[in-house]
């Protein structure tokens, strides 16, 4: 519930997950030919720099300007830069794992995980079969929806669709208990919207109005493609929007949800029944495949569920059926026949700006990684991530931890009592580097030659069943929330741990052969220091060393934090995101605190190392300090389409990359001295406005 996944890759997978390429069969075969190898990346690549730009005016342009000036975002993507470059390289390795599984599958025993993976990927790649079957593989699901004529049947179909991966009605997942983080409880949360955020339903301006019109057309198109007549489909689609608008109005904003205490509503099943009398939760747990209903619950947004309960009673069943039908089709559309694939792409590209679908192998690779990724992780690691690279990355991360501890001890604004708690939290913070020590057991997963949609359902149901009976049991601390080829990292406050998969521990983020200054700027600052600081940002600071939601701050330290954090909000509120849209300082606060704290921490670690090991000579004309800041700035070498920038204003807690560089650096005195910046320069913020946090 509180997991904070970064969006380095997530930004790319928006286009990937929803953007699908419907190419003719001949082109598909061509796309499946072995892709060409790609040139290696460097942690710092000086050819990306624009030396004509002034470091003290716009450091992002100085570090990345030459690249930015010549970069063209490929048609199938919403952005380009570090995340995509690294993913492109990782995907070639994953592709070789999948090709091997596909080729060998029929010779392997039925229960062999590689065979299951090969079958999953092979059936996904079979676009000819998908075209021949049309919406056929959805027939059973659609008949079950057509038969919904009561609240009980409605809830039962919601459970069934959730199990196979659809976002319908609401969200449910067993999560660590915020008050007993060593155990799981049943977590209910708002959900069920087809657009990316509640705000898309509630905003009243011409562009939101036209988006909602397009959404109705999109829903109607799916209903028509599965047999509704055009006029009936359009009327039903409008009622789906009306129903979702009611859910959206009852949903909390992303900013409101940054306060963990606002999401903290422990209750028993009986208490949940009392606020939602029209919904039979015991029946829900039964239909969702749970052995027994969860005894302890957290209901993230009680007001949302009260509204949902009223809508169960008041909304005509025909509207609910249309709603379920739309969501069932939408979650399968990327894998159905070409008309569905094209409609899915056309609508989703409004949010990504992508002009063309990804090659099918990339789409199939990503869905395999997203659903059964631990089945391919071990082979991926063997091909690409050495024990020596893991050890070196771990030593950088551990050095950053030590550095953060020293900074806390020296903070002049924090009381000894709060410092003691902060240091305890740091000492207990877990870290996972590279890959899991134990890999997921797929013995209960089945994959079958035939329609891919059904394999996708099986894989989603496998994941659902793997966790559904967790409430009450101890939290699995060995579990990973992302797969090893992923170019991403996260900090999980309920487990108090940071996680760095092998896919992220490669150039351009990190290179065991690169100089310390480059590695400490990139891996140290924008990854390790950043994730660590999330444990102490506006959200993470509310959780204690064991992951429990508990206030361990003295009131005056809390007040200082809030006052300084407001300076970060004000700083980022002033930045332009795209066109006339400003960055949302409150939504991006946690990330901006993490960037700023991460940089200061990693810089200290670098300086300590230079004192310990002696200063190396300049490299490519830059001092170690200059290379540190260049390494950081180039780790944010990203260029995005305006459509995706606009969507990010609403949904993304990360500020645009330019401000993730220029924002925190303009607060840091060591940056100014490294590049000789003077008071009054744009990259030197007025002292009274500089936040003092970590
Ligand atoms: Zn972050």
């Amino acid at each position: 519930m509180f997991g904070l996944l970064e969006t380095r890759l997530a930004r790319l997978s928006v286009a990937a997950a929803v953007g699908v390429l419907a190419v003719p069969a001949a082109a598909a075969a061509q796309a499946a030919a072995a892709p060409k190898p790609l040139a290696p990346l460097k942690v710092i690549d000086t050819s990306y720099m624009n030396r004509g730009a002034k470091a003290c005016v716009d450091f992002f342009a100085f570090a990345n300007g030459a690249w930015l000036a010549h970069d063209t975002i490929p048609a199938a993507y919403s952005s380009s830069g570090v995340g995509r470059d690294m993913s492109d390289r990782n995907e070639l390795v994953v592709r070789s794992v999948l090709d091997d599984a596909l080729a060998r599958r029929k010779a392997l025993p039925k229960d062999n995980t590689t065979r299951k993976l090969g079958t999953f990927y092979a059936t996904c790649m079979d676009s000819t079969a998908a075209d021949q079957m049309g919406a056929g593989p959805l027939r059973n699901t659609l008949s079950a929806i057509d038969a919904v004529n009561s609240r009980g049947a409605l809830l039962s179909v919601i459970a069934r669709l959730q199990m196979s991966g659809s976002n319908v009605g609401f969200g449910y997942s067993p999560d660590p208990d915020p008050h007993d983080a060593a155990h799981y409880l049943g977590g209910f949360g708002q959900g069920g919207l087809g657009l990316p955020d509640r705000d898309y339903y509630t905003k009243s301006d011409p562009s939101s109005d036209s988006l909602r019109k397009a959404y109705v057309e999109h829903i109607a198109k799916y209903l028509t493609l599965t047999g509704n007549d055009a006029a009936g489909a359009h009327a039903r689609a409008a009622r789906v929007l009306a129903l979702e608008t009611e859910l959206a109005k009852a949903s909390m904003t992303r900013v409101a949800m940054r306060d963990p205490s606002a999401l903290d509503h422990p209750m028993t099943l009986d208490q949940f029944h009392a606020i939602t009398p029209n919904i039979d939760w015991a029946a829900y747990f039964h239909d969702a495949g749970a052995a027994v209903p969860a005894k302890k619950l957290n209901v993230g947004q009680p007001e949302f569920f009260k509204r949902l309960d009223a809508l169960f009673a008041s909304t005509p069943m025909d509207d609910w059926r249309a709603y379920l039908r739309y969501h069932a089709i939408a979650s399968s559309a990327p894998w159905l026949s070409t008309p569905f694939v094209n409609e899915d792409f056309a609508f989703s590209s409004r949010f990504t700006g992508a002009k063309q679908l990804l090659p099918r192998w990339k789409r199939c690779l990503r869905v395999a990684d997203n659903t059964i990724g631990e089945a391919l992780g071990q082979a991926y690691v063997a091909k690409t991530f050495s024990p020596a690279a893991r050890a070196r990355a771990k030593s950088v991360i551990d050095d950053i931890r030590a550095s953060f501890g020293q900074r806390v001890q020296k903070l002049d604004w924090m009381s000894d009592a709060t410092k003691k708690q902060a240091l305890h939290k740091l000492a207990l913070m877990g870290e996972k580097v590279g890959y899991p020590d134990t890999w997921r057991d797929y013995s209960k997963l089945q994959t079958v030659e035939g329609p891919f949609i059904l394999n996708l359902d099986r894989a989603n149901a496998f994941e659902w069943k793997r966790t559904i009976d967790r409430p009450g049991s101890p939290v699995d601390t060995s579990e990973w929330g992302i797969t090893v080829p992923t170019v991403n990292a996260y900090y999980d406050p309920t487990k108090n741990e940071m996680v760095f998969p092998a896919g992220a521990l490669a150039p351009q983020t990190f290179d065991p052969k690169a100089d310390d200054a480059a590695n400490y700027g990139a891996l140290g600052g924008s990854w390790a220091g950043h994730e660590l600081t999330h444990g102490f940002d506006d959200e993470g600071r509310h959780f204690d060393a064991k992951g429990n939601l508990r206030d361990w701050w003295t009131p005056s330290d809390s007040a200082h934090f809030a006052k300084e954090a407001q300076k970060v909000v004000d700083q980022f509120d002033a930045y332009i995101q795209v066109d006339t849209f400003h960055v949302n300082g409150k939504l991006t606060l946690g990330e901006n605190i993490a960037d700023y704290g991460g940089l200061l921490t990693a810089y200290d670690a670098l300086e300590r190392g230079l004192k310990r090991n002696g200063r190396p000579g300049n490299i490519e004309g830059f001092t170690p300090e200059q290379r540190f800041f260049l390494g950081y700035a180039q780790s944010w070498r990203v260029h995005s389409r305006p459509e995706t920038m606009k969507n990010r204003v609403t949904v993304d807690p990360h500020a645009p990359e330019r401000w993730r560089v220029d924002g925190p650096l303009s607060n840091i005195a060591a940056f100014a001295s490294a590049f000789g910046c003077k008071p009054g320069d744009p990259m030197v913020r007025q002292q009274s406005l500089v936040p003092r946090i970590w």
Side-chain angles (χ1 to χ4, degrees):
M1 170 178 34
F2 296 107
L4 299 168
L5 205 60
E6 305 301 340
T7 55
R8 281 165 237 260
L9 183 65
R11 275 202 293 283
L12 306 177
S13 53
V14 170
V18 289
V20 180
L21 174 58
V23 286
Q30 214 168 39
K36 288 197 195 91
L38 297 163
L41 299 167
K42 291 154 75 173
V43 179
I44 294 176
D45 190 330
T46 51
S47 73
Y48 295 154
M49 297 173 61
N50 174 8
R51 306 211 188 213
K54 291 198 165 57
C56 298
V57 172
D58 178 356
F59 193 68
F60 182 84
F62 177 74
N64 298 306
W67 173 79
L68 204 56
H70 295 108
D71 181 64
T72 307
I73 301 171
Y77 290 86
S78 58
S79 66
S80 58
V82 174
R84 193 178 61 75
D85 287 347
M86 289 178 68
S87 297
D88 281 349
R89 282 152 183 80
N90 292 354
E91 283 170 354
L92 294 184
V93 183
V94 177
R95 165 81 187 259
S96 69
V97 172
L98 292 172
D99 280 347
D100 172 68
L102 183 149
R104 291 199 298 130
R105 71 187 190 283
K106 288 183 178 164
L108 295 167
K110 276 222 150 53
D111 59 351
N112 179 286
T113 299
T114 302
R115 179 180 177 135
K116 294 173 183 182
L117 179 68
T119 305
F120 188 88
Y121 183 60
T123 54
C124 182
M125 287 299 290
D126 194 348
S127 58
T128 311
D131 268 334
Q132 281 165 357
M133 289 182 284
L138 276 185
R139 194 177 305 119
N140 288 343
T141 303
L142 297 181
S143 314
I145 291 169
D146 287 342
V148 167
N149 58 1
S150 66
R151 285 173 218 160
L154 169 61
L155 189 63
S156 177
V157 170
I158 286 176
R160 172 177 168 170
L161 292 176
Q162 287 175 345
M163 225 187 282
S164 57
S166 289
N167 168 25
V168 282
F170 54 88
Y172 175 72
S173 67
D175 296 316
D177 183 340
H179 300 285
D180 172 16
H183 294 91
Y184 292 108
L185 54 46
F188 282 94
Q190 67 189 39
L193 304 180
L195 294 174
D197 190 84
R198 69 174 299 287
D199 288 359
Y200 283 106
Y201 297 85
T202 56
K203 279 192 290 195
S204 55
D205 56 77
S207 106
S208 302
D209 290 344
S210 77
L211 178 71
R212 287 189 290 267
K213 276 204 187 92
Y215 184 44
V216 169
E217 297 303 326
H218 169 64
I219 298 168
K221 182 79 189 271
Y222 279 164
L223 299 181
T224 316
L225 284 171
T226 54
N228 278 200
D229 66 274
H234 202 273
R236 284 201 176 91
R239 297 206 300 273
V240 172
L241 174 67
L243 175 55
E244 289 189 3
T245 303
E246 292 303 312
L247 295 176
K249 284 196 278 192
S251 298
M252 287 172 73
T253 65
R254 281 175 203 256
V255 168
M257 288 194 292
R258 290 199 61 76
D259 174 6
S261 65
L263 304 174
D264 178 32
H265 306 284
M267 57 181 84
T268 63
L269 197 60
D270 285 344
Q271 288 168 325
F272 195 23
H273 270 306
I275 60 167
T276 53
N278 293 304
I279 305 178
D280 181 348
W281 294 110
Y284 169 77
F285 279 107
H286 175 268
D287 291 335
V292 289
K295 288 192 182 64
K296 283 173 76 183
L297 303 174
N298 184 57
V299 178
Q301 300 85 8
E303 292 309 314
F304 173 85
F305 282 90
K306 287 180 195 167
R307 188 76 195 113
L308 178 72
D309 179 76
L311 293 167
F312 257 58
S314 65
T315 303
M317 279 300 149
D318 191 53
D319 296 8
W320 277 113
R321 285 191 292 269
Y323 167 83
L324 296 173
R325 198 176 179 88
Y326 165 68
H327 281 274
I329 300 165
S331 59
S332 303
W335 314 108
L336 295 174
S337 55
T338 301
F340 291 94
V341 172
N342 285 348
E343 177 58 27
D344 174 65
F345 175 74
F347 188 67
S348 62
S349 63
R350 288 175 176 273
F351 304 97
T352 64
K355 311 281 182 247
Q356 185 189 313
L357 289 150
L358 278 173
R360 192 170 187 96
W361 72 266
K362 287 214 176 203
R363 286 179 275 141
C364 288
L365 179 154
R366 289 177 182 205
V367 72
D369 185 47
N370 285 338
T371 48
I372 53 171
E374 283 203 21
L376 59 83
Q378 218 165 345
Y380 170 87
V381 167
K383 281 174 187 261
T384 191
F385 193 59
S386 71
R390 189 192 208 191
R392 180 81 186 100
K394 202 166 160 23
S395 82
V396 175
I397 295 165
D398 288 342
D399 203 17
I400 301 296
R401 291 172 72 112
S403 178
F404 190 84
Q406 292 180 2
R407 288 191 68 82
V408 169
Q409 272 157 345
K410 283 191 233 148
L411 291 177
D412 57 9
W413 60 269
M414 187 180 270
S415 68
D416 287 345
T418 307
K419 277 183 185 175
K420 200 174 148 203
Q421 300 269 349
L423 291 169
H424 182 54
K425 179 166 183 173
L426 177 68
L428 261 58
M429 188 180 286
E431 69 186 35
K432 292 186 167 124
V433 179
Y435 47 89
D437 293 324
T438 49
W439 297 89
R440 195 155 297 169
D441 173 6
Y442 285 101
S443 53
K444 291 189 177 149
L445 171 70
Q446 281 200 324
T447 59
V448 179
E449 302 286 335
F452 173 66
I453 288 289
L454 303 186
N455 282 331
L456 187 57
D457 276 1
R458 290 179 190 107
N460 283 322
F462 165 83
E463 273 303 312
W464 181 272
K465 285 179 190 151
R466 196 175 67 79
T467 60
I468 188 73
D469 284 323
R470 279 181 164 178
S473 63
V475 165
D476 177 2
T477 52
S478 72
E479 187 171 78
W480 283 55
I482 49 179
T483 65
V484 292
T486 309
V487 185
N488 214 329
Y490 66 90
Y491 171 79
D492 180 345
T494 62
K495 288 185 176 167
N496 187 26
E497 69 170 3
M498 40 185 183
V499 181
F500 306 93
L505 300 173
Q508 155 172 355
T509 297
F510 163 69
D511 184 348
K513 297 189 295 293
D515 56 309
D516 274 353
N519 278 329
Y520 276 70
L523 175 60
S526 74
W527 292 76
H530 175 98
E531 297 307 336
L532 191 157
T533 308
H534 271 315
F536 304 91
D537 72 13
D538 62 316
E539 202 168 65
R541 77 182 188 90
H542 297 289
F543 295 83
D544 71 10
K546 292 186 173 162
N548 290 311
L549 186 55
R550 184 175 66 82
D551 187 4
W552 45 270
W553 293 63
T554 66
S556 66
D557 290 334
S558 251
H560 174 93
F561 184 97
K563 188 172 109 241
E564 297 301 307
Q566 186 57 44
K567 290 185 187 167
V568 181
V569 172
D570 295 341
Q571 178 181 7
F572 280 80
D573 271 344
Y575 295 142
I576 297 287
Q577 173 120 355
V578 61
D579 303 335
T580 55
F581 295 88
H582 280 247
V583 177
N584 182 337
K586 281 203 170 110
L587 179 63
T588 58
L589 177 58
E591 298 300 332
N592 298 329
I593 291 173
D595 283 340
Y596 184 31
L599 265 164
L600 292 168
T601 303
Y603 184 82
D604 282 2
L606 173 72
E607 289 297 298
R608 223 176 42 238
L610 293 176
K611 275 202 191 105
R612 197 172 50 226
N613 307 326
R615 290 181 68 85
N618 289 2
I619 299 178
E620 297 171 295
F622 295 103
T623 66
E625 286 79 6
Q626 289 173 330
R627 284 181 66 83
F628 172 88
F629 292 113
L630 282 169
Y632 175 81
Q634 289 203 340
S635 81
W636 294 120
R637 175 179 61 87
V638 175
H639 168 207
S640 301
R641 294 188 190 279
E643 292 88 345
T644 198
M645 291 303 279
K646 198 172 156 199
N647 185 42
R648 281 176 59 188
V649 176
T650 310
V651 304
D652 192 349
H654 302 83
E657 290 71 20
R658 177 184 171 191
W659 302 123
R660 296 189 70 173
V661 173
D662 290 357
L665 292 187
S666 67
N667 290 327
I668 296 177
F671 168 78
S673 47
F675 286 92
C677 306
K678 303 277 178 297
D681 285 342
M683 287 298 300
V684 180
R685 201 162 166 78
Q686 193 187 314
Q687 278 305 299
S688 63
L689 301 177
V690 170
R692 312 271 168 203
I693 306 181
W694 299 108

